[in-house]
Amino acid sequence: MNQVLLYCRPGFEKECAGEIQTKATDVEIYGFPRTKSNSGYVIFECYQPGDAEKLVKKLPFSSLIFARQMVLVAGQVTDMPVGDRISPLLAALAEYSGEFPRCGDIRVEMPDTNDGKELSKFCRKFTVPLRQALRKQGYLFTKDNAKKPVLHVFFTAPGECYVGYSSSDNNSDFFMGIPRLKFPADAPSRSTLKLEEAFHVFIPREEWDERLASGMWAVDLGACPGGWTYQLVQRSMFVHAIDNGQMADSLMETGQVKHHEVDGFKFEPPRKNVTWLVCDMVEKPARVAHLMGQWLVKGWAKETIFNLKLPMKGRYDEVLQDLENLKVFLIKNGLKFNLQAKHLYHDREEITVHIQVLNPVTPH
Ligand code: SAM
C-alpha cells in the first residue's frame, strides 16, 4: 500500500495537498500529491512501498488542518459491473489480505460535491449487502466495534471507488469526516453550527461537563447577532458579547448576556473570571491571532476558539505563518498549551483554531 486518501472541502485540494506534502516530509516520508480541482479529495502517493502505512501511523490526524479524513488505500476499483459491485471489491482486498486488518465498522462514502451527493443514495443502499459480504469473508467483525479500524469504501464516480481503512485512534469519528448537526430553530444565525462543530471536534465529549461547564464566564468578540453566544448560553454560561451590532433579543432576555458596544481589539473583561474566549470577528487573520495570544498571555482567558478568515491567495501559507507566530509568542511567554486548527465543515473561507492553556497564568 503506497497511497493515502484525504477528504477535504471541494476547492481546498491545493491546501490539503500542500499540507500533506509538507507534513509527510517533516516525518521523512517522501511522495507527491495527486489532485483534481473541486473533487473534494487528495491522493498522496508515497515513493517507497510500505511508506503509506508509516505515514498514517506517524502523522497525527489532529495535526492536519485541511483534511477531514485520512485513509490508507488498499486499492482503487474501476469499471465495477452494475450487477456485481461486491466481487471486484473483495478481489482488491484479497490482494492485501495479509496486511489488511479486520475492521470494526464500515463507511461507504463519497466526496462532498454535487456529483458526490448523487451517489449518496446508492452508497447508503450498498452498505447493507457489502457489510454482509465483508463479514462473511472476515474483513469485518460480526459486531460493530468502535475501537477497531474503520473500513472505508470511497466512491468517486458510479462504479469507481477507493477501498482502504483508517485507525480508530487516528481518524475522524464522523461519516465523511463531517459531524451531522441540526440547526437549532431558535438560534439567531447559522454560524452557531461553527462553534458547535468546534466543540465536537476539539473537545472530547466526556470532558464537556468540566470544560464547558454551567456558570462559567465567556467573552464573544464579534458576537452579533449571537449564534456563538447562543451556544454558550445553551450551556448555561454567562457571556460578555462584544460588537457594535444588534444582539438577538431572545439572548438578551435570558439575563446571561452583557452586550458591550465596543471595539473587540480594545475590550478588557471587567473582572478576571473568564474561562472561554471565542472570536468570529471579520478581520485580518494575523491581527486576530495576535489578539488571542495576548489574551492568553495576560491570563484573561484559559481556553479559546477563534476563526481565522483566509485571504484570497496563499491561503495555506497565511495560516502556517499566523499559527507559527502565535505559537512562538505563547512559548516565549512561558505558556504550555494544546493548539489544534481545522477547516471545519461549517467553515468556508476560514479555519477554526482551538487553544487550551495547560499552565494557567494569574490574570494581569
Ligand atoms: N459569530 C456571530 C454569530 O454567530 O452570530 C457572527 C459574527 S459576524 C461573522 C462578525 C461580527 O464581527 C460582525 O457582527 C461585526 O460587527 C463584528 N466585528 C468586526 N470587527 C469587529 C471589532 N473590531 N470589534 C467588535 N466586533 C467586530
Side-chain angles (χ1 to χ4, degrees):
M1 295 187 242
N2 72 336
Q3 291 181 334
V4 176
L5 164 66
L6 302 153
Y7 309 172
C8 66
R9 184 185 187 86
F12 285 80
E13 297 78 12
K14 227 172 76 186
E15 287 71 21
C16 186
E19 182 176 32
I20 188 72
Q21 175 92 68
T22 312
K23 292 190 172 153
T25 307
D26 288 347
V27 293
E28 297 180 344
I29 290 176
Y30 304 100
F32 61 96
R34 291 183 190 277
T35 58
K36 202 163 92 190
S37 295
N38 295 309
S39 63
Y41 66 96
V42 169
I43 292 283
F44 186 73
E45 197 151 330
C46 300
Y47 292 124
Q48 297 287 333
D51 265 6
E53 275 105 322
K54 281 191 204 149
L55 183 56
V56 297
K57 281 201 182 111
K58 280 189 173 180
L59 192 63
F61 172 70
S62 59
S63 72
L64 294 172
I65 301 170
F66 289 98
R68 290 179 178 173
Q69 186 58 283
M70 176 167 75
V71 176
L72 176 61
V73 176
Q76 188 185 17
V77 187
T78 54
D79 300 324
M80 301 164 91
V82 177
D84 177 17
R85 292 196 170 100
I86 293 182
S87 302
L89 262 173
L90 294 177
L93 287 171
E95 277 191 46
Y96 292 95
S97 56
E99 297 161 63
F100 206 92
R102 187 178 285 189
C103 293
D105 192 9
I106 176 175
R107 295 184 202 159
V108 181
E109 301 170 307
M110 55 272 159
D112 179 26
T113 57
N114 287 337
D115 287 349
K117 275 193 194 85
E118 306 218 335
L119 292 165
S120 64
K121 204 167 146 199
F122 158 76
C123 289
R124 221 179 15 254
K125 276 193 181 168
F126 185 57
T127 307
V128 180
L130 181 62
R131 183 187 283 120
Q132 275 171 358
L134 291 167
R135 282 191 173 149
K136 214 164 147 192
Q137 298 288 325
Y139 291 110
L140 276 181
F141 283 98
T142 45
K143 276 194 185 154
D144 285 356
N145 185 335
K147 292 206 165 85
K148 299 288 177 191
V150 180
L151 197 150
H152 297 264
V153 177
F154 184 75
F155 274 88
T156 49
E160 203 174 291
C161 66
Y162 288 95
V163 58
Y165 70 89
S166 65
S167 295
S168 56
D169 59 356
N170 198 25
N171 68 356
S172 161
D173 291 341
F174 307 108
F175 180 78
M176 285 168 69
I178 302 172
R180 303 281 142 176
L181 303 175
K182 201 165 162 268
F183 176 63
D186 55 341
S189 71
R190 284 204 71 80
S191 320
T192 197
L193 292 176
K194 269 194 287 184
L195 188 59
E196 190 182 353
E197 184 182 358
F199 289 157
H200 283 274
V201 170
F202 297 131
I203 304 177
R205 196 59 192 249
E206 60 276 15
E207 294 178 19
W208 280 27
D209 285 348
E210 192 190 330
R211 287 168 64 187
L212 297 166
S214 63
M216 279 178 170
W217 273 93
V219 170
D220 182 357
L221 301 179
C224 290
W228 286 29
T229 293
Y230 173 88
Q231 289 295 329
L232 302 161
V233 164
Q234 284 293 304
R235 301 206 58 83
S236 304
M237 292 192 203
F238 296 98
V239 186
H240 293 288
I242 320 304
D243 203 310
N244 279 321
Q246 185 78 29
M247 284 298 278
D249 291 340
S250 54
L251 284 172
M252 299 312 298
E253 283 158 13
T254 62
Q256 288 165 246
V257 183
K258 281 192 180 171
H259 184 192
H260 306 256
E261 294 183 43
V262 294
D263 182 352
F265 286 89
K266 300 203 174 118
F267 176 74
E268 182 173 335
R271 285 180 52 214
K272 302 293 182 285
N273 58 352
V274 174
T275 304
W276 273 96
L277 170 66
V278 299
C279 173
D280 191 21
M281 289 192 290
V282 181
E283 249 299 339
K284 285 197 180 71
R287 224 181 143 209
V288 170
H290 186 61
L291 180 69
M292 300 298 108
Q294 284 179 321
W295 270 69
L296 298 178
V297 164
K298 287 178 187 160
W300 290 2
K302 297 179 177 64
E303 212 160 337
T304 175
I305 288 178
F306 56 97
N307 267 175
L308 293 181
K309 311 290 172 189
L310 299 171
M312 297 289 278
K313 282 189 184 160
R315 296 186 290 203
Y316 181 52
D317 290 341
E318 175 75 40
V319 163
L320 272 193
Q321 194 60 60
D322 295 343
L323 292 180
E324 190 52 34
N325 290 346
L326 177 54
K327 283 183 205 166
V328 168
F329 179 69
L330 296 178
I331 291 167
K332 259 193 189 161
N333 283 280
L335 257 58
K336 293 197 169 69
F337 56 90
N338 288 328
L339 184 152
Q340 195 186 346
K342 203 86 197 164
H343 191 211
L344 300 176
Y345 174 70
H346 292 95
D347 284 336
R348 288 174 188 272
E349 297 291 324
E350 64 208 338
I351 61 158
T352 303
V353 186
H354 169 240
I355 304 175
Q356 178 190 22
V357 175
L358 301 172
N359 57 340
V361 197
T362 312
H364 55 278

